[in-house]
Amino acid sequence: MIDGIPLPARDGPFEAGFWRALERGELAHQNCADCGVWHFPPRWRCHCGQPLAYRAVSGNARLWSWTVIHPPVLPAFAPFAPYPVAIAELAEAPGLRMVGPLVQTAGDPINHVDPSRLTIGMPLQACIVELAEGTPWPAWKI
Amino acid sequence: MTIAGKVAIAGIGQTQFGRGLAESERELAYMAIDMALKDAGIEPSEIDALSSYTMEATPDFEIVRNLGLGPLSYFSQAPHGGGAGPAAIGHAAMALATGQAKAAVVWRARKRSAAGTRVWAQSVPVLNDHWKWSRPSGLLRPVDEVAMIARRYAHQYGDIAPALAEIAVTLRRYACANPAATMYGKPMDEADYHASRMVADPLRLFDNCLETDGAVALVLLPATRARDARQPPVLIEAFAQGLVPGHQSMADFHRADALTGSSAVTAEHLWQRTAFTAADVDVAQFYDAFSPMILFSLEAYGFAPRGEGARMIVEGALRPDGALPTNTAGGGLSEAYLHGMNLATEAVRQLRGTATTQIADARLALVTGCDATPNGALLLRRDG
Ligand SMILES: [Zn+2]
């Protein structure tokens, strides 16, 4: 949890179900009942034209890519730099990807995981943490 | 209907490039436009069209008022930061080709050399745009976003570090031959590159563009009129834009094939609009906010198959005697970072035969916009 980070507005269109799930400690994404396609970030409707509903995902993912961020960064992140950031590809679908911090245990600071332990394709597991107070988000457990 | 050969770039102008310039951003814009008008031999009052970037800070009416242009009959702005350059020129060209206007100015001015002026550093407390899905996790800067794609690319196609070093060193060598370049007189070799500090692993300081104060402007005329103007006309052979479905600007991680971006779409459109092919291009000006964009663009525009661009680069393709001399004034990495507008003026100089590193008998030049945003491209050719 870091004070002073840029926060995601949570009143955006089509995303209420995403945030409600996170508040319950679950990760959910939009899914099309008609064609089965998963979508993130949230959108109006499926590209097949059908409506979308939020469904819980497994939280299983693989490391799609990562970087290690060195200064200069925004002041809120400066005490943690250098720190790794991941893109996790969720098991549900290719392209269903999320940016998030890496942890060994929920609650670890964002610079806890040593980047030398990272390899693309390694399994990750979502755990819901607070990026800032009142801002739940999936971190990725190695 | 095509605009091929109907419009020419008839004048170019640029201020000094550097850090901490005394003039305001607006004054820099006026100075560059004034030089472009004089280069073309066109009176300010003859200009009836303006085109620039949505990120341009100087309003069009101030350009008109301060330079004595107009009256205007066409004014336009192209979106997406570094993706906008070719479109700013292309939109003006379409206006001239269709008779909506008779003479156009395209410009870009920036004062970005002070640290606090970085766009990413001006982050708002609550993010409403698509960056809300990545920035709160600490992925803050454009370089961080490009680093993600670069690492994934290297995972799929092999080590790109030698290619990125070759890009940075080659562009610096071009800048060292160009007295206008910010990095003129500051040579850099591969050891310097590898010794530069890491910014967003695997990208180092010298994989990043400069932050520059300066301005660049171009004057466009219908080709028939440009042939009577002061400079040899440089014709717009083709113009295209592209936006791949599912794309999000810069943080473009959510498509199944995230390594095939909007550049591939733009390239497809561009090559559909001309009889020329990639093999005909004599010199390329690839948008280079970050070095991997040159690698990705090289492949997207068809100069190398996917996954083989790095090898082509390491073999020296980007050098003056290489298969595709690239960013021959130093580019965004080593000449100036003006959202790519200085790439267009360098293409014009190559086709006029007046570049500081002149590619012999350059007849066809490609200019591209930012690979990581919705973007555009121009194919320019020497008249005759
Ligand atoms: Zn569907």
Side-chain angles (χ1 to χ4, degrees), chain A residues 32 34-35 46 48 50:
Chain A
C32 175
D34 203 56
C35 73
C46 187
C48 76
Q50 294 302 307

Side-chain angles (χ1 to χ4, degrees), chain A residues 5-7 9 15 40-42 64-74 77 83 85 87 95 97 99-100 120 137, chain B residues 120 123 125-128 132-133 136-138 140-141 147-148 151-152 155 197-201 248 253-256 258:
Chain A
I5 65 169
L7 298 171
E15 61 189 60
F40 178 78
W64 187 79
S65 192
W66 50 278
T67 181
V68 182
I69 291 172
H70 295 256
V73 295
L74 291 176
F77 290 97
Y83 57 88
V85 179
I87 297 178
R97 303 188 191 113
V99 175
I120 286 183
W137 191 259
Chain B
W120 65 265
S123 184
V126 176
L127 301 163
N128 280 293
K132 71 200 262 180
W133 308 115
S137 296
L140 303 171
R141 307 161 299 189
M148 286 287 196
R151 183 179 302 282
R152 181 71 196 187
H155 168 74
R197 67 182 167 83
M198 203 59 91
V199 176
D201 198 326
Q248 295 189 146
F253 311 131
H254 306 285
R255 296 175 296 109

Side-chain angles (χ1 to χ4, degrees), chain A:
Chain A
M1 203 159 75
I2 311 175
D3 288 333
I5 65 169
L7 298 171
R10 288 163 58 174
D11 56 356
F14 325 118
E15 61 189 60
F18 174 79
W19 296 111
R20 269 201 304 271
L22 284 182
E23 280 160 16
R24 292 193 304 269
E26 284 176 20
L27 182 58
H29 284 300
Q30 287 178 310
N31 181 254
C32 175
D34 203 56
C35 73
V37 171
W38 293 88
H39 297 281
F40 178 78
R43 63 175 69 189
W44 178 40
R45 65 183 189 190
C46 187
H47 44 224
C48 76
Q50 294 302 307
L52 294 167
Y54 277 94
R55 277 180 57 197
V57 293
S58 63
N60 297 324
R62 289 191 179 274
L63 185 59
W64 187 79
S65 192
W66 50 278
T67 181
V68 182
I69 291 172
H70 295 256
V73 295
L74 291 176
F77 290 97
F80 302 92
Y83 57 88
V85 179
I87 297 178
E89 184 163 63
L90 280 65
E92 278 70 15
L96 186 65
R97 303 188 191 113
M98 300 188 74
V99 175
L102 288 157
V103 294
Q104 187 156 16
T105 310
D108 284 341
I110 61 169
N111 59 359
H112 178 78
V113 169
D114 181 345
S116 69
R117 299 174 63 189
L118 302 176
T119 51
I120 286 183
M122 72 191 291
L124 302 172
Q125 177 66 41
C127 63
I128 311 306
V129 301
E130 285 195 308
L131 290 180
E133 194 168 347
T135 302
W137 191 259
W140 298 96
K141 233 186 316 189
I142 66 167

Side-chain angles (χ1 to χ4, degrees), chain B residues 201-251:
Chain B
D201 198 326
L203 302 184
R204 299 178 172 280
L205 179 65
F206 291 147
D207 292 307
N208 288 255
C209 64
L210 304 165
E211 290 288 2
T212 306
D213 294 352
V216 163
L218 302 95
V219 171
L220 273 61
L221 294 173
T224 45
R225 173 141 189 242
R227 292 192 177 102
D228 299 327
R230 182 170 293 161
Q231 297 288 351
V234 168
L235 299 176
I236 295 175
E237 166 65 19
F239 158 60
Q241 290 178 272
L243 194 167
V244 67
H247 175 93
Q248 295 189 146
S249 183
M250 295 305 299

